[in-house]
């Protein structure tokens, strides 16, 4: 275990999901911003989930709450406006970046481009939560169902990394969110990730990230869910370091109580992997 350098800046490149604008989060966006300020954060990216083009592409809890696609879009535009107001209001206390997190459902490209053109975020976090319109991070049962549709876990991993590659090469998101989220319900992920056919896809995607100068999100929400390591897992993290790819912590907060969670663990993971704990800003 390496000795940590003194006082690296507190930052989160992926955070700020709030109950105000997300059905599976808690608290108001302003209360979350205040929590970051109270913990001494230097800068934070507010990165709410992008709105779906139709209700079938959204999260189940939104539909259960009776929110149609139009309702969700109205709420999302309100999120951008509110985040801009907070960005200005608290400018003397914290640097806030106003962004959003992508979805990669079938046919997402035109809708994502529309959101980029009309809402003009500071940056986006490129994340994949769907493979062939199946959510892969909702429940173990849905995850197994997706694997069955693809004919096994290896094929599901391949489909995930192919979808991610398309997102990277088409949109070059400033930040790549929870790179290996596909491992979420796989107890054998450590062995599976390094299988030659899967590892070659990972290396391909990392090369695409490197070529475009993108940043990877060390996503700490995995620890909150009981995982032993964040997304990105250690072999991928070490490969990213060898390639000179910037990696920055993201607490992926979904409420005040998540703000700053596992910060020390993030620093230790990155230090042990050989990173210098200086952060590349997304803007």
């Amino acid at each position: 275990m390496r000795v940590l350098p003194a006082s690296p800046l507190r930052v989160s490149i992926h955070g700020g999901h709030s109950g105000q604008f997300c059905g599976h989060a808690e608290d108001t966006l302003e209360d979350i911003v205040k929590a970051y300020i109270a913990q001494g954060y230097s800068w934070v990216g507010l990165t709410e989930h992008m709105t779906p083009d139709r209700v079938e592409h959204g999260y189940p809890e939104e539909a259960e709450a009776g929110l149609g696609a139009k309702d969700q879009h109205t709420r999302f535009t309100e999120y951008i406006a509110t985040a801009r107001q907070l960005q200005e209001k608290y400018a003397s206390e914290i640097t806030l970046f106003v962004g959003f997190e992508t979805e990669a459902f079938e046919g997402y490209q035109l809708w994502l481009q529309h959101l980029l053109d009309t809402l003009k975020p500071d940056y986006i976090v490129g994340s994949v939560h769907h493979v062939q319109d199946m959510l892969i991070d909702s429940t173990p049962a849905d995850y197994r169902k997706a694997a069955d549709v693809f004919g096994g876990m290896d094929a599901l991993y391949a489909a995930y990394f192919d979808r991610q590659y398309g997102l990277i090469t088409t949109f070059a998101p400033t930040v790549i969110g929870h790179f290996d989220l596909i491992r979420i319900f796989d107890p054998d992920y450590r062995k599976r990730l390094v299988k030659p056919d899967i590892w070659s896809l990972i290396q391909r995607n990392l090369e695409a990230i490197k070529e475009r100068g993108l940043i990877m999100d060390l996503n700490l929400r995995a620890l909150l869910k009981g995982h032993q390591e964040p997304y990105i897992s250690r072999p991928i993290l070490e490969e990213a370091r060898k390639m000179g790819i910037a990696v920055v912590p993201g607490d992926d907060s979904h409420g005040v109580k998540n703000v700053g969670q596992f910060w020390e663990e993030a620093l230790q993971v990155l230090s042990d992997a050989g990173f210098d704990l200086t952060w590349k800003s997304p803007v």
Side-chain angles (χ1 to χ4, degrees), residues 132-143:
Q132 285 191 4
D133 282 352
M134 294 177 287
L135 273 172
I136 52 92
D137 65 332
S138 53
T139 67
D142 285 345
Y143 185 81

Side-chain angles (χ1 to χ4, degrees), residues 47-168:
T47 53
E48 190 55 85
H49 294 283
M50 81 181 220
T51 185
D53 59 345
R54 62 178 191 265
V55 70
E56 294 83 1
H57 286 155
Y59 286 88
E61 59 270 14
E62 313 295 359
E64 290 166 4
L67 293 175
K70 185 176 180 180
D71 301 318
Q72 292 181 58
H73 184 61
T74 297
R75 185 181 65 176
F76 188 64
T77 58
E78 290 172 356
Y79 153 71
I80 295 290
T82 300
R84 289 294 184 200
Q85 292 166 2
L86 296 173
Q87 186 181 45
E88 182 176 353
K89 180 176 180 179
Y90 292 104
S92 65
E93 299 176 75
I94 190 172
T95 297
L96 297 175
F97 301 118
V98 178
F100 63 81
E101 183 178 10
T102 71
E103 304 296 344
F105 43 73
E106 293 298 310
Y108 75 94
Q109 294 90 341
L110 289 176
W111 183 240
L112 174 54
Q113 189 61 59
H114 169 72
L115 295 177
L116 292 171
D117 292 342
T118 56
L119 299 177
K120 302 186 185 308
D122 295 334
Y123 72 94
I124 59 173
V125 174
S127 296
V128 175
H129 302 96
H130 300 77
V131 180
Q132 285 191 4
D133 282 352
M134 294 177 287
L135 273 172
I136 52 92
D137 65 332
S138 53
T139 67
D142 285 345
Y143 185 81
R144 289 192 296 271
K145 180 180 177 181
D148 289 343
V149 168
F150 280 95
M153 292 294 295
D154 288 11
L156 178 62
Y157 271 60
Y160 171 87
F161 285 117
D162 282 345
R163 179 58 57 100
Q164 184 182 71
Y165 183 71
L167 176 62
I168 293 167

Side-chain angles (χ1 to χ4, degrees), residues 262-273:
F262 305 108
W263 173 253
E264 295 299 330
E265 288 87 343
L267 298 184
Q268 195 66 64
V269 165
L270 289 170
S271 180
D272 289 348

